[in-house]
Amino acid sequence: MFARARSEEDGPLNAVPLVGGVPSPSSALRAHRLRTIGLAGALLAVALVALAAANMPHAARGGAPARVQTQRHAASSYAVAPSVLPELDSYGFPVLTDVLPKDGSRVVWGICGPGRIAGDFTAALSAMGAKIGAVGAGSLPNALDRATDFARLFRIPRAYGSYEELARDSSVQAVYIATTNNAHFANARLMLLHGKHVLLEKPATVGSAEFAQLVKLAAERDLLFVTNFWTRFFPAIKWAKAVARSGLLGDVVHVQGDMAFQAVRVPGGDRFSLASLGGGAMLDMGCYLVQFAALFLPQPVGGNAPGDARGFDVRALGQVEGGVDTDVAFVVAAGGASASFGTSLRRSSNFALSIYCAHGKIEIDGPANCPVRASYALYDDAASKREPPVPCCGQPLLEQRSFVQPLPTFPPRLLARRGYPNGMGFAYAASAFERCLYTDGCRSLDELPTAEQQLIVDLTAEVFAHIGIYQNVSGM
Ligand SMILES: NC(=O)C1=CN([C@@H]2O[C@H](COP(=O)(O)OP(=O)(O)OC[C@H]3O[C@@H](n4cnc5c(N)ncnc54)[C@H](OP(=O)(O)O)[C@@H]3O)[C@@H](O)[C@H]2O)C=CC1
Ligand SMILES: O=C1OC[C@@H](O)[C@H](O)[C@H]1O
């Protein structure tokens, strides 16, 4: 297994030194900013600073320039700590040696629902050196045989033909749940009740109340409970988030994304087309887009808007077939910014994401749910003031930069089990989960705080309210 080191391509038009792989202010950039301010701006700035200094409390004085201030990160600056990106070993796996117990012990994982994505996740777990103690199947026929086959492939010591047996295995401390969406709530509840930490595949639960119940249960039992939005743990996403929050490009104004694929219908129904399995485009892919809205939009301010979910304004139009959404267009707005998204089971797309800011744009290459590359472009705002003026469309660039982090390589022995793209990227989320378990008092991950997971479920439920599906889904 060999992983190339992270790299930055497409060098900047004006060099911007990096701090931890994200931009920090350079003299070139500062010079550019000064040029763009102009005399009138400078006079206005002097007047405003004098006025502000007279009225502001001491702590608020002398902060970052106005254009880097966002509602969410009023104190953000261009310099971002190197710890933004995970430390990787020479194979590309996140380093855990600094937190692993000295006695050589390690968290023991169990796998619940040995289907397609569980194969990818387990391959990543075993490649990163994690300990897997047991696997349990329990929804489809021949559960024990299928669990036994899975156990043989991944050299897992124990296989069970029911989820209850897995839950009762006292050697297992953390369970990864990859059953169909409808079963997430019951399986997560079962594992939490048996004292297991839970990493639950997206889209967590179908309804908001169910998610809140799981959070409460985990808190009562002092357990870690996380939705496996693995997206949040990819270095390219962490880099893009740091760029967005650095203020380099100004405030986020609009986020745009599309995630769609042509679902092949299986006779008798499948996890995409059956409402009883929690099917539909929103729960399969749209939830990733909602997750991006929660990540990149500013916090809502002020009162509740129509279609409100905790201050976020949500609108949606959707095609519904057999009780599931097959095509949805939706908008989420907050804090003066908006996001527009499409998701579908009736067409394809490249799963890319764009974050449009006041002075530039961040692109996350598809598949943005598990990306290896992101980039930004800083526009030359001064160009629009030059004579002759530049045409309206296509702002000249001041600089552009991209970030690439190749994935750890799939072990050849397990290639046959590969189900979805970029599966080795599960190592990022699994490592963060394990790291938390070795850290005193850690019961929530910075990359995806519990409250934000609840928000994602709530916003998704709001989309469902607009298109009239998945109402009153108690127990799902
Ligand atoms: N993070 C990511 O990138 C991805 C996440 N996912 C999520 O993972 C979960 C599983 O997806 P995937 O692995 O593709 O699913 P699979 O179709 O492979 O099924 C997973 C498991 O669900 C149960 N199951 C499958 N079909 C049925 C059915 N018709 N009725 C009842 N139970 C069934 C089986 O459990 P058992 O073996 O125990 O009987 C099966 O092993 C979903 O929640 C999905 O959203 C999926 C793909 C990518
Ligand atoms: O999580 C997922 O990401 C990729 C999709 O193709 C898949 O269906 C979905 O479950």
Side-chain angles (χ1 to χ4, degrees):
M1 291 178 291
F2 294 102
R4 280 171 289 137
R6 73 171 55 107
S7 70
E8 268 157 341
E9 311 173 316
D10 317 333
L13 302 183
N14 285 342
V16 173
L18 295 183
V19 178
V22 297
S24 75
S26 64
S27 51
L29 191 56
R30 278 194 299 270
H32 160 72
R33 293 222 168 90
L34 287 176
R35 279 198 304 277
T36 62
I37 289 173
L39 184 61
L43 287 173
L44 183 64
V46 169
L48 284 175
V49 166
L51 191 67
N55 292 308
M56 272 183 186
H58 177 72
R61 283 185 212 151
R67 71 181 259 194
V68 305
Q69 291 190 344
T70 65
Q71 279 144 325
R72 203 178 210 172
H73 298 280
S76 66
S77 73
Y78 297 125
V80 177
S83 58
V84 160
L85 299 169
E87 190 189 341
L88 305 179
D89 67 18
S90 55
Y91 298 104
F93 290 100
V95 169
L96 279 176
T97 41
D98 57 317
V99 287
L100 286 176
K102 299 272 177 291
D103 63 4
S105 64
R106 197 141 176 187
V107 165
V108 178
W109 288 84
I111 307 295
C112 174
R116 211 170 152 208
I117 200 64
D120 288 354
F121 183 85
T122 309
L125 270 190
S126 65
M128 70 183 228
K131 238 185 187 168
I132 311 163
V135 52
S139 300
L140 291 172
N142 308 318
L144 182 56
D145 289 347
R146 289 183 299 99
T148 304
D149 285 349
F150 192 92
R152 196 169 295 129
L153 177 65
F154 292 107
R155 300 174 186 162
I156 299 172
R158 289 173 299 287
Y160 301 115
S162 75
Y163 304 138
E164 287 73 15
E165 288 168 280
L166 174 64
R168 286 199 300 269
D169 185 327
S170 58
S171 72
V172 168
Q173 293 151 326
V175 175
Y176 165 72
I177 299 174
T179 48
T180 46
N181 300 338
N182 62 303
H184 285 184
F185 172 68
N187 293 330
R189 186 169 176 278
L190 173 71
M191 298 306 164
L192 290 170
L193 284 172
H194 281 82
K196 314 296 185 203
H197 304 286
V198 167
L199 182 58
L200 175 61
E201 256 314 334
K202 43 62 62 180
T205 60
V206 181
S208 292
E210 288 68 28
F211 191 81
Q213 266 192 56
L214 296 177
V215 169
K216 186 163 175 279
L217 202 55
E220 284 165 1
R221 285 165 169 69
D222 190 26
L223 295 166
L224 178 60
F225 166 56
V226 180
T227 311
N228 192 31
F229 273 118
W230 61 325
T231 312
R232 291 288 179 102
F233 303 89
F234 277 74
I237 293 291
K238 293 182 169 214
W239 182 87
K241 174 180 163 185
V243 171
R245 294 184 180 186
S246 74
L248 173 72
L249 308 178
D251 289 347
V252 171
V253 177
H254 189 67
V255 181
Q256 196 175 55
D258 191 276
M259 294 193 176
F261 79 103
Q262 288 266 9
V264 178
R265 295 298 157 96
V266 173
D270 49 74
R271 77 171 181 88
F272 304 107
S273 60
L274 291 177
S276 59
L277 294 181
M282 276 307 295
L283 290 173
D284 194 50
M285 293 163 287
C287 60
Y288 282 119
L289 297 167
V290 173
Q291 168 274 139
F292 279 129
L295 180 63
F296 288 115
L297 288 181
Q299 291 288 354
V301 280
N304 291 350
D308 167 88
R310 290 210 268 144
F312 285 78
D313 191 0
V314 179
R315 317 286 170 107
L317 288 171
Q319 295 281 327
V320 175
E321 295 172 50
V324 306
D325 51 308
T326 53
D327 192 86
V328 181
F330 66 105
V331 175
V332 182
S338 62
S340 59
F341 297 126
T343 185
S344 182
L345 296 170
R346 296 167 48 203
R347 60 181 175 80
S348 294
S349 79
N350 67 354
F351 276 58
L353 191 90
S354 302
I355 300 129
Y356 296 92
C357 304
H359 307 289
K361 180 167 81 155
I362 302 169
E363 299 273 13
I364 299 170
D365 290 10
N369 57 324
C370 47
V372 296
R373 183 178 183 278
S375 58
Y376 73 76
L378 175 65
Y379 297 142
D380 184 0
D381 292 337
S384 57
K385 299 182 190 96
R386 278 188 209 123
E387 284 301 330
V390 291
C392 70
C393 319
Q395 188 79 315
L397 283 177
L398 184 66
E399 70 177 39
Q400 57 189 347
R401 190 175 279 270
S402 61
F403 172 90
V404 178
Q405 177 58 64
L407 292 163
T409 316
F410 227 89
R413 185 175 69 83
L414 301 172
L415 274 178
R417 262 316 291 245
R418 185 159 54 182
Y420 291 93
N422 296 358
M424 268 300 126
F426 281 117
Y428 301 131
S431 299
F433 191 92
E434 266 207 52
R435 170 173 285 278
C436 179
L437 293 179
Y438 301 125
T439 308
D440 275 352
C442 178
R443 287 295 176 261
S444 175
L445 304 184
D446 290 345
E447 293 87 345
L448 188 57
T450 306
E452 206 171 326
Q453 298 174 53
Q454 177 79 58
L455 173 68
I456 294 164
V457 177
D458 294 353
L459 293 173
T460 309
E462 194 61 39
V463 171
F464 290 145
H466 279 277
I467 57 183
I469 59 170
Y470 289 127
Q471 307 298 285
N472 311 312
V473 285
S474 179
M476 236 186 165

